[in-house]
Amino acid sequence: MVAAQVMGRDGELEILTSLARDAASGRGRLVLIEGEPGIGKTSLLRALLEDAADLLPRVVTGAAEEFDQRLPFATAGSCLEPLAAGDQEVAEVLALIRGTGAEYPVIESVLALVEKWCAAGPTAVAVDDLHWADSASILLLHRLGRVAGQLPLLLVAVRRSGAGGPETETLARTWLGHGAVQVTLGPLPESVVHQLVADLAGGPPGPALRGLVSGAAGNPLYIQELVGGLAQGMRLRAAGQQVDVDSSSEHLGVSPTLSAAIGRRLEFLSKQTRELLRVAALLGSAFTVADVAAVLGRPVTELLGQVTEATGTGVLTALPGRLAFRHPLVRAVLADSLASSAREALHGQIAQALVTRAAPERVAEHLLAAGPAAAPLLGWLTDAAGDIVDRAPALAADLLSQLLTTMAPPQGELSGRLRAALAVALLRTGRAGAAEQAARSALATPPDARTEAALRWTLANACAGDRSAHARRAGPVPRPGRLLPDHLQRASGRQHVLARQRHGGAGQRRYRGTRLWHGRGGPVPAVGRLDR
C-alpha cells in the first residue's frame, strides 16, 4: 500500500524514476528533494528507491542527525555502518573515520569505494535530512557531486526548505550548477486530500470534517494526525454516506498527537524564531512584523533574521504587507502551547501595544482574551467603548460583560460609563431584556448627568414595544459621555453652541442628521451626536 504522504505525488515520482533510469544507463544524476516538515519528503524517497530497485541493485542510504553536526563524517558514517558487517572495505573506511577523521584520506577512500560499487552495477546513494549534515560530510557530497555524472550513480539528498547553514546552501547551489534536478513538494491537491481523509476516516468527509482538515493546508502528516486524533477521541460519526465530526463533542481542538507532531517539526527553528511565532500566533491569522516588534519591544531590524527563517522553512507565508501562518493548525498549536495565565498576560501586552496602532475593535479582541490582564486598559476602554459598540456590538457586549462580572472597575464615572456602554451594546445585539436589566443596574448607583441620560435612553428603547424590532428601528444609539437625548440638548443650548464652535459645519451636519423613532406612545426624541 502506498504511504499517505506519497498520495498525489505521481508526477514527482515519475520524474525521479526517469532520473533513476538515466543513472542505470550510465548517465549519473543528482537530485535535491525539498519541502516543509511533514510534507512527505522521506516517504517520496523511499517510494523512489522501492520503485527503482530493479534499476539500481545497490542502494546506500543514511540520514544526518541534529546532534551529530559537530562530528566529522557522522552523516557519511550513517550510510556506511549498515554495510560494515559484510564488506571489509567499508569497515576499513569506518575505522579511518573513527580514527584520525582526516578529511582528505576519508574523502578519497569513500570516492574509491563508490567508484567500485558503480563498476559492479548502477548504484543509488541517498542522504536524508541534509540540513543537519556535518561539514565534513557536506564536503564529501560536494566531491561526489562533481563525479556523479561520470558514473551509473543516482545521488539524492533530502532537506527541509530553507533549513541548514551556509554550507548546505553552498552544496545545493553547487549541485544545481552540475545539473541537479530539484523536486520541491507542495501541498496535496484538494482532491487528494479528500481521498486521503476518506481513507483515514472510513468514508467521504462531511462539511465539518472538511473544515477542520482545511487547517492542515494540504500537509499529509498533519492530516493524518488530525483525523487520527479525532478517531481516537471518538469524535467521528457516520452522517449518511459521509463521516463527519460529532457536534456533541465538548472539545474539537488540536489532538495531543497532532500537537506533538507539529511541536517536533518546529524544534529545528531557533529559540528566537519560536518566540516570535508564539507572539504572532496570538496576534491573529495575519499580522505585520511591526506589530510583533511593538509587542516584543524590539526594533524591526532585530527580527528580520527570525522572519527570514520562518518564511524560508514554510512556517510563515508572505501576503501583501503582512505575514500569515501557512498552516492554521501550526498557529493553533503554538497558541495552545502557552499556559493559560501566560496566554492571557501576552494578550494583555498585545492589546497595550496595539492601542495606538490598530482599530479599537481589534484591541478589544485581545482584551477579551486577556481576562484579568485587561485591567491596565480600563481607562482606554471607557473612552473607546462607543466606537467598539458602533463597529462590533457583539464583541463589545461580551467584553464589557466579562470585565464587569469578573473585575472590580474603578467606581464613579468610569464604572457608570462602562455599564452604560454594555447596556447599549446589548440593545444593539437584540438582547433588549438584558439591556434593560443592565441599564437599571447601572442607574441604581447614580451616574453623572450625561451617562444617566444615555442609560435612560437605552432603558426607554429596551422597554418599548417589540424590543428586538424596536431596537433595529432606533437608528443611532447613544454613546456614554458623548451622546445626549435631544430634550436634554435643548435644555442646554450652550452645549450646542460649544459643539458647533468646536466642529463648525461638521458638528451642525451631525446634529441635523439625527433621526426620530416611534415608541408605544408616539415619537420619542432623537439622539444627536455631540463630541466631548
Side-chain angles (χ1 to χ4, degrees):
M1 180 178 177
V2 179
Q5 288 96 328
V6 185
M7 291 181 65
R9 305 300 187 193
D10 295 345
E12 292 89 343
L13 192 55
E14 183 178 348
I15 291 172
L16 294 173
T17 303
S18 70
L19 296 174
R21 292 193 192 97
D22 290 343
S25 66
R27 182 189 173 199
R29 302 305 302 262
L30 300 172
V31 180
L32 280 169
I33 300 176
E34 298 188 351
E36 66 182 46
I39 204 67
K41 305 180 295 296
T42 300
S43 295
L44 180 63
L45 173 62
R46 290 172 182 165
L48 164 65
L49 297 179
E50 289 176 7
D51 286 359
D54 294 337
L55 299 170
L56 305 167
R58 182 184 291 273
V59 175
V60 180
T61 63
E65 296 287 344
E66 180 180 7
F67 296 107
D68 290 345
Q69 296 178 71
R70 293 181 177 84
L71 301 179
F73 296 108
T75 302
S78 73
C79 298
L80 298 175
E81 283 174 358
L83 309 174
D87 192 317
Q88 182 60 34
E89 291 186 55
V90 172
E92 291 174 359
V93 173
L94 281 174
L96 191 60
I97 290 174
R98 293 164 182 161
T100 63
E103 288 183 351
Y104 179 79
V106 172
I107 289 175
E108 292 302 319
S109 298
V110 173
L111 288 176
L113 193 58
V114 172
E115 289 178 358
K116 179 182 176 181
W117 290 340
C118 290
T123 300
V125 175
V127 176
D128 202 358
D129 292 330
L130 178 67
H131 45 279
W132 282 329
D134 59 276
S135 299
S137 294
I138 289 176
L139 181 57
L140 170 59
L141 289 170
H142 168 75
R143 291 287 304 278
L144 276 174
R146 291 173 58 183
V147 302
Q150 307 165 24
L151 302 169
L153 174 66
L154 180 67
L155 184 57
V156 186
V158 179
R159 71 165 182 164
R160 289 173 178 165
S161 298
E167 293 175 325
T168 306
E169 292 294 336
T170 301
L171 175 65
R173 288 196 302 270
T174 302
W175 276 24
L176 292 172
H178 285 90
V181 175
Q182 183 171 328
V183 176
T184 302
L185 299 184
L188 293 177
E190 185 176 354
S191 59
V192 177
V193 170
H194 183 90
Q195 183 59 53
L196 174 57
V197 175
D199 290 348
L200 295 169
L209 180 54
R210 290 197 302 270
L212 285 176
V213 168
S214 67
N219 186 297
L221 175 66
Y222 298 166
I223 293 171
Q224 289 182 92
E225 293 291 350
L226 175 62
V227 178
L230 291 172
Q232 187 176 8
M234 306 295 289
R235 302 176 193 174
L236 296 179
R237 60 173 175 81
Q241 300 297 316
Q242 298 180 327
V243 176
D244 214 341
V245 178
D246 186 355
S247 59
S248 65
S249 297
E250 295 182 359
H251 177 64
L252 291 176
V254 179
S255 69
T257 56
L258 175 57
S259 180
I262 292 176
R264 286 193 300 270
R265 278 153 183 80
L266 295 177
E267 287 177 354
F268 71 93
L269 296 171
S270 67
K271 178 181 178 181
Q272 294 80 3
T273 299
R274 293 199 300 271
E275 177 188 14
L276 179 146
L277 291 174
R278 278 192 288 269
V279 172
L282 297 186
L283 275 168
S285 57
F287 59 93
T288 67
V289 180
D291 284 348
V292 177
V295 175
L296 294 175
R298 296 165 58 188
V300 170
T301 52
E302 288 188 8
L303 304 182
L304 296 182
Q306 290 92 285
V307 171
T308 300
E309 183 181 14
T311 53
T313 53
V315 179
L316 298 179
T317 185
L319 300 176
R322 297 176 300 164
L323 294 172
F325 283 90
R326 182 178 178 84
H327 301 91
L329 286 174
V330 171
R331 178 187 167 225
V333 166
L334 285 165
D336 289 346
S337 67
L338 295 167
S340 58
S341 58
R343 188 161 54 248
E344 289 176 351
L346 190 50
H347 273 296
Q349 188 173 329
I350 290 172
Q352 294 188 57
L354 294 183
V355 160
T356 59
R357 306 178 55 84
E361 62 271 22
R362 187 175 170 211
V363 179
E365 290 177 341
H366 291 286
L367 287 180
L368 181 61
L377 287 180
L378 281 179
W380 172 88
L381 179 59
T382 304
D383 292 334
D387 286 327
I388 300 171
V389 170
D390 278 352
R391 300 178 186 184
L395 171 62
D398 290 344
L399 173 58
L400 293 168
S401 295
Q402 174 177 286
L403 291 179
L404 292 169
T405 301
T406 61
M407 298 176 59
Q411 296 302 308
E413 182 181 355
L414 245 61
S415 177
R417 288 166 62 187
L418 288 173
R419 294 180 185 280
L422 171 60
V424 174
L426 292 169
L427 183 64
R428 286 284 298 273
T429 55
R431 290 176 277 181
E436 177 185 354
Q437 183 179 359
R440 291 190 186 279
S441 175
L443 286 169
T445 302
D448 62 273
R450 296 168 73 93
T451 303
E452 181 180 0
L455 284 166
R456 294 196 181 282
W457 185 94
T458 304
L459 188 59
N461 274 272
C463 294
D466 180 356
R467 291 173 174 175
S468 61
H470 198 79
R472 288 193 296 270
R473 291 198 303 272
V477 294
R479 298 186 186 185
R482 297 187 66 179
L483 307 172
L484 290 174
D486 237 9
H487 67 282
L488 291 181
Q489 290 176 357
R490 286 196 295 272
S492 180
R494 187 166 60 88
Q495 289 181 339
H496 287 259
V497 174
L498 292 174
R500 293 168 70 175
Q501 286 176 347
R502 283 201 306 269
H503 300 290
Q508 191 170 10
R509 283 194 298 274
R510 287 183 187 177
Y511 179 71
R512 290 177 178 174
T514 57
R515 308 173 187 173
L516 289 176
W517 58 271
H518 293 265
R520 185 178 301 167
V524 179
V527 177
R529 293 176 175 265
L530 292 177
D531 288 338
R532 285 185 297 241

